[in-house]
Amino acid sequence: VSYEFTVLFTTFLVISYTTIYGLRGSLGTDFLQFFAIAIATLILIPWLLYEIGGFGFLYEGLEGAATNPENPNYNPDALSLSSGVGIRYGITAVVIAMGQVLCEQGYYQRAVACAQVRDLRWAYVLGGIVAWFPIPIVYGTIVGGAGLALEVNVGDEIQSASEVAPFVI
């Protein structure tokens, strides 16, 4: 299927769905996507930990990346919470996420749909912080850490760092 057809068809599909089902359809889709991601996480992460040998293997692999100069992913800050690279990534991730919140119309539609400001705050705390915030942290730690522990190296097994997660899984 051509790229142009795929883009046009997907755009038509999304516009049609939103026009027909409106905000209720959008919220329903978000609700189903959250549960799909949560169920996948509850299955995938324990399975992945089982397959690689648990947290012990993960820690030993990260320790090897931090202490062994022969490791292809050698990084003395691999186990440091004060790693400059990690802090810069964290700041960048927050800035990008904030840009998404400020620019995506769907967030404003949901805010306007709330009956009371109290409900909006509760939904933000429960959905955004309690339910969603741990998911990227868990995946980054377990899947990314497994990539380091397995000594997955750009240029050998994969072509770019964005391929670590599919390779590990």
Side-chain angles (χ1 to χ4, degrees):
V1 178
S2 74
Y3 175 78
E4 291 81 10
F5 174 79
T6 305
V7 169
L8 288 173
F9 181 72
T10 304
T11 303
F12 172 76
L13 191 64
V14 169
I15 290 172
S16 299
Y17 178 80
T18 305
T19 303
I20 293 168
Y21 296 105
L23 182 60
R24 184 178 302 231
S26 178
L27 291 173
T29 302
D30 287 352
F31 185 74
L32 292 174
Q33 287 175 348
F34 170 76
F35 278 105
I37 292 169
I39 290 168
T41 301
L42 291 173
I43 293 169
L44 182 66
I45 295 299
W47 172 76
L48 181 60
L49 283 170
Y50 173 78
E51 287 293 319
I52 66 169
F55 285 107
F57 177 78
L58 193 64
Y59 180 79
E60 289 169 8
L62 290 172
E63 188 176 43
T67 59
N68 182 5
E70 303 289 323
N71 189 313
N73 297 310
Y74 176 66
N75 178 0
D77 290 333
L79 288 175
S80 173
L81 289 176
S82 62
S83 164
V85 173
I87 291 171
R88 285 191 301 273
Y89 172 77
I91 291 169
T92 304
V94 169
V95 169
I96 290 170
M98 201 59 183
Q100 181 181 2
V101 169
L102 294 175
C103 294
E104 187 176 325
Q105 184 62 31
Y107 289 102
Y108 296 107
Q109 289 174 333
R110 288 165 181 78
V112 170
C114 281
Q116 298 175 0
V117 173
R118 188 187 88 230
D119 294 338
L120 180 62
R121 286 186 187 130
W122 178 246
Y124 174 75
V125 168
L126 184 63
I129 296 172
V130 174
W132 187 251
F133 187 70
I135 290 176
I137 292 172
V138 167
Y139 273 96
T141 302
I142 304 299
V143 178
L148 287 174
L150 295 169
E151 297 184 9
V152 176
N153 189 19
V154 174
D156 293 337
E157 296 92 352
I158 58 175
Q159 298 303 313
S160 76
S162 64
E163 296 176 10
V164 170
F167 181 85
V168 168
I169 292 169

